[in-house]
Amino acid sequence: MVAKSTLFQIILIFGYFLSSSCQDFIFNGFQNASNNMAMGYSAKITDYGMLQLTNDSYDLKGHAFFSSPIQLIKTQDNISRAVSFSTTFVFQIISKPGSENGGGHGLTFAIAPSKQLPGAASGKYLGLLGPGNNGNFSNHVFAVELDTVNDFLNDTDEDHVGIDVDDLTSEILENAAYYDSNSTKIPFELEDTGLIQAWLEYNGKNDVLNVTVAPLSAHKTKPSRPLISGTFNLTAILKEDMYVGFTAATGKLASSHYIMAWSFRTEGTARAIDLSKLPKFPDIWSNHHKVTIIKIVVLSFAILSFMVILIVIFLYLWHRAKLSETIEDWELENPHRLNYRELYSATNGFSKTEVLGSGGFGNVYKGVMRQTGEVVAIKKISTSTRQGMREFIAEISSLGRMRHRNLVELRGWCKRNDDLIIVYEFMPNGSLDTLLFNHNNNAQTTLSWEQRLNILKGVASGLLYLHEEWEKVVVHRDVKSSNVLLKSDLTPKLGDFGLARLYNRDTAPQTTCAAGTLGYMAPELLQMGKATTSSDVYAFGVLLLEVVCGRRTIEPSAPDSERNLVRWVRECLVHGGLMEVVDPRMEEYDGQEVEMTLKLGILCCQYRAEVRPSMRQVNNYLNGTEQIAAGDLSLVSVDPDLMGSESTCSFSLSQGMISASSFQGGR
Ligand SMILES: *[C@@H]1O[C@H](CO)[C@@H](O)[C@H](O)[C@H]1NC(C)=O
Ligand SMILES: *[C@@H]1O[C@H](CO)[C@@H](O)[C@H](O)[C@H]1NC(C)=O
Ligand SMILES: *[C@@H]1O[C@H](CO)[C@@H](O)[C@H](O)[C@H]1NC(C)=O
Ligand SMILES: *[C@@H]1O[C@H](CO)[C@@H](O)[C@H](O)[C@H]1NC(C)=O
Ligand SMILES: *[C@@H]1O[C@H](CO)[C@@H](O)[C@H](O)[C@H]1NC(C)=O
Ligand SMILES: *[C@@H]1O[C@H](CO)[C@@H](O)[C@H](O)[C@H]1NC(C)=O
Ligand SMILES: *[C@@H]1O[C@H](CO)[C@@H](O)[C@H](O)[C@H]1NC(C)=O
Ligand SMILES: *[C@@H]1O[C@H](CO)[C@@H](O)[C@H](O)[C@H]1NC(C)=O
C-alpha cells in the first residue's frame, strides 16, 4: 500500500515537472495578481484591478515581472535552444491631461535576467535600461517597445513599435499600425487611443518573431498579418532562467501606463484574453465629474439666489425710499397726520383707476384704508409754497375736530415733499352740481322742491356752524354747488375746506391771498381780495338761485340778458315775472317758498357786503322763523350793475378757479 502510494506520489511529482516545463498563465485583470507580480518603483495594482506602471507624474519609472522565472533556453543532446513562446496583453496609455506635445515615454514587454533591472532609468530609457548599460551585450535583455516619443537615433515616428536587444535603439522599428483584412496598413496612435492589444509570438525552431498591435475598438481578434515579422536568434541573447514582464517610464513628458490583462505561454499559443473581464476605469461621470458638476450647479445656484436676494433687498429699499417722507418738527405738532404708505396702499399707489375727479389743484382719489376698511376720498394737492402749506395744515388740523352733520368730515392729512394729501369721508352720491345741471338725467333724478329746500337748509346750517358756532370763525371761501356733497339720503355736506382760511374772532380779517370760483365771488372779494363771512353769504346766495333755477350761475350759451343768473333774477324781481326763472323741470312746488328763496338769494347777492344778511338770518328765513320784510329788498334796485365789476375782469367765463391776488396784481 505504502509503495503504491509512494509511486503514485512520484508519478504526481513527475507529472508536475512535465507540466511545469510548459509555462502558462493568464491575468484577466490583476485584482488577485499581487502575489504573482514583482513590482518596482512606481508600478502598482490599482483599486480597479489594473497594473499601473506609472501615473502621469514626471520622471517616473516602473516595472512589473511575473514573480517566477521562466525557463526560456532548453538544452537537448548538448544543444541549447530558445523556447517558443507566445504572449498577448491589453494596454492603455493615457497622456497627461493638458500636455501640448503629448505624453511620454512608453512601455515595453521585457524579457530580462533580473526582476530588479539595475541601472534602469526613466524617460527615454523606458525604465528598462539606463545610460550605464544601454547597448551592452552583457545585459541579456530582449524587449518589444511601445514607444510614444521620438527620442533615439533611429526612431522615425512618435508612436512606434520596436524590437530592442540589449539596447533601446531598436533592431526593427515600425510605426504603430495594423493590417486589415485587405492587408492595408492602418496607422494609429499608441497614446489616448483607448485599449490596445498586442501579440507576440516566437518560434524557437526557426527563430521567427511576430509582433502585432491593434486597437480593441477596431479589432477584437488578432489581425491575420503581423506588423513586425523577423528572425531573431534569441538563443544567443537569452539566458536559461528569465523573467517576463513590463516596464514603463515618464520623463519631461508623462503618461499613465496601464496593463489591463496579460496572457503568457511557452511552447504553445497563449490563451485568449477574456475581453469582457477587463478592469474598467471608474465611470468618471458617476463619481468625480458628477461631483464637479454638482459643485458647479450648487455654486451657480448659490450665486443666483444671492443675486436674487440682492435684487429683492434693492427693490425693497427702493420701494421704501419711494414711500418715505421727511417729517418736519411742526408736522408732528398737528394731529390727524396720516402715514403716506397707508395712503399709498389705500389708493393702490395713487392709481389712475381710483381717480374720482380732478381739478386745478390735483386729483381726488377713492381709497380704502387698509386698517379700518373705511372708504375715503383722498385729495392730492401739489403746491410749491411751503409756508402756505404749513398754515394750511395748521388750519385743517383743527378742522379735523369739527363735527357737524352738514360738513364733510376730515379724516386726516399727509404731507410728502410738495404734495399735500387730505383725506375726507367718502360721499357716494357725488356733488350737487351733477344732480342739478346734468340735463341728461332722467326725470327720476330731477330733484323735487322739497329735496332742494332741504339741501339748502342743510348747507345753510353748515355754513352757520362755520361762521358762528365753531370756536373760531371759519370763512369757507369756496361755497359752490360742486362743493356740496350728498349722502345717500340727500343730506348735504359742505366739503372742501381746501381754500378756507381761519382767523381768530379778535383779529381783523386779514388774508394774504384770495381765491374763489368765478360766478360765486362777491364784488369786494374780486376787487379787494378780501374774504369775509359776507362773501360766503354772497356765494350761498348764488347757490340758492342755482338750486331754484336749475342752471349755473354763468351760462355762456344763454341769451345775453340771462347769461348772469344773479343779474337775470334781479331784473325779473325788479321788473316783474320772477317765477319765470324757476327750473322748468320742477313740476310741483310751493310758490311762496320758491319766491321767498329767490328773494333771499337776491338779498344775499347784494353788491354791498354790509347790507347782506348774516348766515344766522339766512337760516331763520329758510326755516320760516323770520320773514323777509319788503323794505329789505328796497336797496336791491339801486345796486350798481354787476356787469360793471365783471367787465373789469378779462378772464374766460369758465368754471375754473381764479386767484384774486393775481387778478389784483394784473391791475
Ligand atoms: C480574486 O480572489 C477572490 C477570492 O480570493 C475571488 O473571489 C475572485 O474571483 C478573484 N478575482 C479574480 C479576477 O481572479
Ligand atoms: C505618482 O506615482 C508616484 C510614485 O509612485 C507617487 O509618488 C505620486 O504621488 C503619484 N502621483 C499621483 C498624482 O498619484
Ligand atoms: C555532452 O557533452 C559532454 C561533455 O561536454 C559529454 O560528456 C557528453 O557525452 C555529451 N553527451 C551527448 C549526448 O553528446
Ligand atoms: C558591460 O557590462 C559589464 C558588466 O556590467 C561591464 O563589465 C562592461 O565594462 C560593460 N561594457 C561596456 C562597454 O560598458
Ligand atoms: C539605424 O538604422 C540604420 C539602417 O536604417 C543602420 O544602418 C544603423 O546602424 C542604425 N543605427 C543604430 C545606432 O543602430
Ligand atoms: C477589402 O476590400 C474589399 C474589396 O476591395 C472591400 O469591399 C472591403 O470593404 C475591404 N475591407 C476592408 C476592411 O477595407
Ligand atoms: C509570423 O508571421 C508570418 C508571416 O505572416 C507567418 O507566416 C508565421 O506563421 C507567423 N509565425 C507565428 C509564430 O505566428
Ligand atoms: C544561434 O546562436 C547560438 C549561440 O550563439 C549558435 O550556437 C547558433 O548556431 C545560432 N543559430 C543560428 C541559426 O544562427
Side-chain angles (χ1 to χ4, degrees), residues 46 61 372:
T46 68
K61 60 181 175 183
T372 58

Side-chain angles (χ1 to χ4, degrees), residues 67-79:
S67 46
S68 314
I70 310 282
Q71 191 187 7
L72 284 178
I73 301 284
K74 279 192 177 164
T75 306
Q76 234 177 349
D77 305 327
N78 277 356
I79 301 168

Side-chain angles (χ1 to χ4, degrees), residues 41-42 55-57 60:
Y41 304 110
S42 65
N55 60 28
D56 58 9
S57 300
L60 293 177

